[in-house]
Amino acid sequence: MANKQKVLLVDDDVGFLAANSLLLQEAGFEVTTAQDGRTGLAAAREQRPDLVVIDVMMSRPDEGFALARALRGEPALAGTALLVVTAAGERYQMLFEPDDLWLPVDKVLEKPTAGDELVAEVSRLLAKRKENGG
Amino acid sequence: MSVSSKVIAPCQAGCPVRTDAGRYARLVAEGRYDEAYEVICRANPFPSVCAHICQRPCEKQCRRGPLDAPVGIRSLKRFVVQHARRPAPGPCAPEPAASGRVAVVGAGPAGLTAAYDLRLRGHRASVFERLDRPGGMLNVIPRYRLPQEALDADVAAILATGIELTCGWEAGENTPVAELLERGFDAVVVATGLSRSRGIAVPGFGAQRFTAAIPWMADVWLGKKVDVGRRVAVIGGGNVAADVARTARRLGAEQVALICLESREEVPAEPQEIALAEGEGIRLLPRQALKRVLNRDGQIAAIELMSVVSVFDEAGRFRPTYDPSRIRTLSVDMVILSIGQAPDRSWARGTAVRADERGRIVVDRETHLTSHPRVFLAGEALRGPGSAIQAVADGHRVAEIVARFLELGEVARPAAAEVAPLDPFPEDVLERLRRLATVAAEAEPFAASEPSLDEAAARREGGRCLACLAGAVIDETKCASCLTCFRVCPLDAVEIGEAMRANPARCQACGVCASVCPAGAISLACWDRAAGEWATLPAPASRETGGTVAVVCRHDGGSPAGADEIVAVPCLARLRPVDVLGLFRQGYRTVALHPCAEEQCKYGAAWKNIESVAGCASALVRGAWPEARVEVCLPAGEGGPVGSAQET
C-alpha cells in the first residue's frame, strides 16, 4: 500500500480543524493540525507535509500570511503545496490572490468552504504537484 | 483597415456605443438642443451620467485636436442634458405574447442597459441589485464628480420603460442564480461588476483603519458612518485612488498621500484627476510600493515604502521590480488600498456555471454565454476594469445576444460590425485651416476644470466641430465635370478621377463647392436639413405687395428687425442662386441675407461666397420680378453698421 499524502491544517478554529481533519482522512490523507503560526511552522519543519492548509486571521490578523511566507522561504519545504483558506476577504471586503511577493501560495479559498470543496482543492493541488514531479 | 469597413467620424469610432458626437455638436451649434439630445440617447441610456464622468474617448480621437484642441464633446453633452426638453419616459408598448422573461443581476450601467434594450424589444426584464438602490458602482463615484440627480435622472428614465427592480438582493449561496431560472426566467444576465477591492497580504495587514477603497467609498457615498484618519495613505494610482484621496481630504484628513508603483508619467489615472488632487493638497508619491504597515496597539502608526525600479517588463506586462534597500517611512494613521478591483463570483456557487482553476467564470467572450445554456455574463464582470460607457456598450451587446436567443432560440455570434475612423487631416489641410483663422487662440478651453457651459459658449464650442464626413457628396449622374468645384475648394478636397469626388479626409464641409456647382450635383448633410425648413416657410400675407424674408446664419442666431419671416440656415455661403429664387417664387419680394461676422464665420473663406451668390441671384430675378431686391446686410465692422443694406 502506497504511503498516504500528508496534510497539515493550521487554524485557530478547533471546529474547522476537527471537521476538515475528518473529511480529509476519509478522503485518504494523513492529517495533522496546529492552532497558530508558530506551532504550524514547527510542525511543518518536523513532519514535511505535502500540503499545508493555512488560516489567516489567528492571534494576529496577518498571522497566516506571515506563516505562508515563512514556509515558502524554507528551502527544505520548497516543494510543499500551500493553500490559504480565509475569511479575511469577507471581513475586509478584499480579494486575495497568490502573488510572488506577499502571498507566495498555490491557491486562496474563501471561507466558508462548501462540504467537499476543501478536499477537492487539496486533491487537485497534490495531483498537480505530482504531475510537476513534486 | 478592412476592405468592408465602414468609415465613420473618429469621434464616433472612438465611442464604445458609437454616439454620433459630431452630429450633436453641430446641432448644438445650430441651437437644436432637443435634436441633439435625441442623437445622444439613441446610443446611450446614461446621457446625464456620461455628461459628467465619461472618460471622453471621443475627444481623444477628434480631428480638431492637432489643429488646436479637441471639441469639448463632454461639455456639450452636459449642456444638452441640462437644456434639452427631456422626453417624458413612458412604459413600452404591451409586450407580445411570445416575449421572454429575463432576470438581470446587477443594476449598474451594463445591467440596466441590457434590461433597457431588452425591454425596448418587447421582452420583460427584472433587475436584481445587491445594494439598496440602483446604479451599481456609479453610486460610489464622488458626488462632486457625478451629482446624484444626474444618476437618478438616467435611472428613472430607464426604469420607466417598465423594468421591475428588486434591491437588497444578493446573489450567493442563499439566493442562487439557478433559483431565478427555476422561477420562470428564460435567461439570466449577470452584470455584477467589480465590487471587490484587491487586497495585499503585506506584513502588518489588518490593523484598525486598514481598509479597501470600494467598501470605504460605498460607506461614504451611501451615507453610512465612516471613519477617516488625520494622515491617510491611499495605495494606488488609478482614477478610483484619486477619488478616494480627494474624498478623504474632503472628510477632514489633514495629510493625504497617493502612493503608486508607477512614475508620474505612467500613472494610470487621468492627468486631470491627478492635477485636481494635487491642487487640493494631496501628495503624489510615485515609484513607491507598500512594504510594511507598522502598528502600535492595533492602530496604524506608520508605513514603510520601498522604491520601485520598474513596473512593466520588456514585453509590457505588469511585473514590478523593487529595490528593498531604498526604504522610506511615512507617518500615517490610515491606509486605504485602491490597487484594483475584482469581480465577486459568489453568485456562481450552487449553479452549473463552471469556473477555471483560478476561480474565473468559464465564458465565451463573444456570445457572453457561460457553461450554463441560459446564463450570460456581461460588463466588467466579463471584460475586467473599464469605463462606464464601456459597460453600457457591453450591456447593448449582451442584450442583442439574449434577445436573439429569446426570439430565435439560438445563441449566435454577433456579426462583425467593422468600422474605421476617417483618416486624420493631411498636414497641408491643417496648415490651410490654420490660415482660415477659425482656430482657437488658446488651448482646450475646458481643460483645467469643466464648468457647465452657458448657451453662447456651448454654441461656439459646437461650432468648432469640423464636420467630419458631413461634407460634400458629388452626384455622379448630375455632374457635368466642369471642374468649378475643383477650382473653388479652399482645401483641395475635390479630386478628379473617373468621376469627381470630394475626399472626406480633406473636406470640412465649408459648402463653397455646393453653392457654385452649376449642375446642382453637390449636396451637404447640413444643407439638406435646412432645405426642409425652406419648404415649410409660409407664403407672405399679400402676394401683391410681397414681403421681406431674412435669411440669417444659424450659428450667429441674429433676429433682424423688419423682416416678415426669418429663416436660419447653417451657412449663407451655401446658398445657391436658385435657393434665393425659390423665395421669390413663394411670393416674397425682398430677400435680406444676414451673414455672420467674418471673424465668427466657422467656415472661414466660405463667407466670401455670399456676395457672389447675391449678385447672381439678383441678376436672375430682375427679368422675372423687376421689383424684387436681394440685400446683403453686413454686420458692424464688415463694411457698414449692423443692418445696413447693400443692394446688389
Side-chain angles (χ1 to χ4, degrees), chain B residues 572-574 593 595-596 606-615 632:
Chain B
L572 269 71
R574 297 180 193 187
L593 304 178
C596 56
W607 186 85
K608 294 183 174 61
N609 194 53
I610 295 162
E611 285 187 13
S612 79
V613 170
V632 177

Side-chain angles (χ1 to χ4, degrees), chain B residues 12 14 160 165 174 191 209 217 224 275 311 386 403 440 645:
Chain B
Q12 191 176 12
L165 173 70
N174 299 326
R209 286 186 173 165
M217 289 287 271
K224 295 182 184 163
V311 182

Side-chain angles (χ1 to χ4, degrees), chain B residues 533-534 537-540 546-552 560-569 572 575 579-594 629-631 633:
Chain B
E533 282 184 8
W534 210 266
L537 195 64
T548 299
V549 59
V551 184
V552 303
D564 299 301
E565 292 293 337
I566 298 173
V567 181
V569 298
L572 269 71
L575 284 175
D579 298 321
V580 179
L581 289 181
L583 293 166
F584 289 113
R585 286 193 66 185
Q586 283 183 253
Y588 292 95
R589 289 296 168 261
T590 303
V591 174
L593 304 178
H594 291 261
R629 286 157 49 91
V630 181
E631 297 173 351
C633 303

Side-chain angles (χ1 to χ4, degrees), chain A residues 35-120:
Chain A
Q35 289 186 38
D36 59 49
R38 189 178 55 78
T39 54
L41 181 60
R45 282 171 176 160
E46 186 187 319
Q47 297 161 15
R48 306 284 176 92
D50 298 290
L51 182 144
V52 185
V53 176
I54 306 164
D55 178 34
V56 172
M57 297 183 293
M58 293 185 274
S59 59
R60 286 188 294 121
D62 64 341
E63 193 164 328
F65 292 148
L67 173 62
R69 287 191 291 271
L71 289 170
R72 201 46 97 215
E74 296 259 329
L77 297 170
T80 304
L82 302 180
L83 171 61
V84 164
V85 182
T86 178
E90 176 79 17
R91 160 78 175 73
Y92 293 96
Q93 296 186 54
M94 294 178 194
L95 182 84
F96 292 97
E97 289 181 330
D99 75 78
D100 293 343
L101 189 62
W102 301 123
L103 196 50
V105 302
D106 298 277
K107 176 88 187 198
V108 179
L109 276 187
E110 295 212 342
K111 281 185 179 177
T113 52
D116 57 353
E117 194 178 4
L118 182 66
V119 173

Side-chain angles (χ1 to χ4, degrees), chain A residues 56 61-62 65 69 88-90 92-97 99 101-103 107 110 112-114 117 121 124 128, chain B residues 196-207 210-212 215 290-291 306 322 337 342 345 349 357-359:
Chain A
V56 172
D62 64 341
F65 292 148
R69 287 191 291 271
E90 176 79 17
Y92 293 96
Q93 296 186 54
M94 294 178 194
L95 182 84
F96 292 97
E97 289 181 330
D99 75 78
L101 189 62
W102 301 123
L103 196 50
K107 176 88 187 198
E110 295 212 342
T113 52
E117 194 178 4
E121 196 57 49
R124 193 187 66 77
K128 195 172 165 190
Chain B
R196 298 186 76 167
S197 291
R198 293 193 180 279
I200 319 177
V202 66
F205 161 92
F210 186 99
T211 187
L290 183 60
K291 182 173 186 288
M306 62 181 165
Y322 309 97
L337 293 184
R345 300 180 181 117
R349 285 185 167 181
E357 279 184 9
R358 291 177 57 189

Side-chain angles (χ1 to χ4, degrees), chain B residues 10-85:
Chain B
C11 54
Q12 191 176 12
C15 175
V17 297
R18 305 275 185 259
T19 302
D20 194 347
R23 186 163 167 75
Y24 78 71
R26 295 192 296 276
L27 286 167
V28 170
E30 295 168 12
R32 300 175 160 201
Y33 310 133
D34 295 349
E35 289 169 70
Y37 190 79
E38 277 176 34
V39 171
I40 294 168
C41 292
R42 208 174 291 156
N44 183 1
F46 283 92
S48 300
V49 167
C50 289
H52 287 86
I53 55 133
C54 186
Q55 292 177 3
R56 301 178 288 177
C58 49
E59 292 183 27
K60 293 178 179 82
Q61 304 294 324
C62 176
R63 290 167 91 228
R64 177 124 204 172
L67 195 58
D68 47 8
V71 175
I73 296 171
R74 186 172 70 184
S75 299
L76 288 172
K77 182 176 283 171
R78 193 185 297 186
F79 174 83
V80 171
V81 298
Q82 289 169 346
H83 290 80
R85 281 168 301 172

Side-chain angles (χ1 to χ4, degrees), chain B residues 445-482:
Chain B
F446 314 110
S449 61
E450 198 177 62
S452 294
L453 304 179
D454 63 26
E455 186 167 9
R459 292 185 66 165
R460 258 199 321 276
E461 188 61 17
R464 293 180 65 240
C465 174
L466 292 175
C468 301
L469 288 166
V473 178
I474 303 176
D475 183 343
E476 199 181 329
T477 60
K478 293 182 183 169
C479 176
S481 301
C482 67

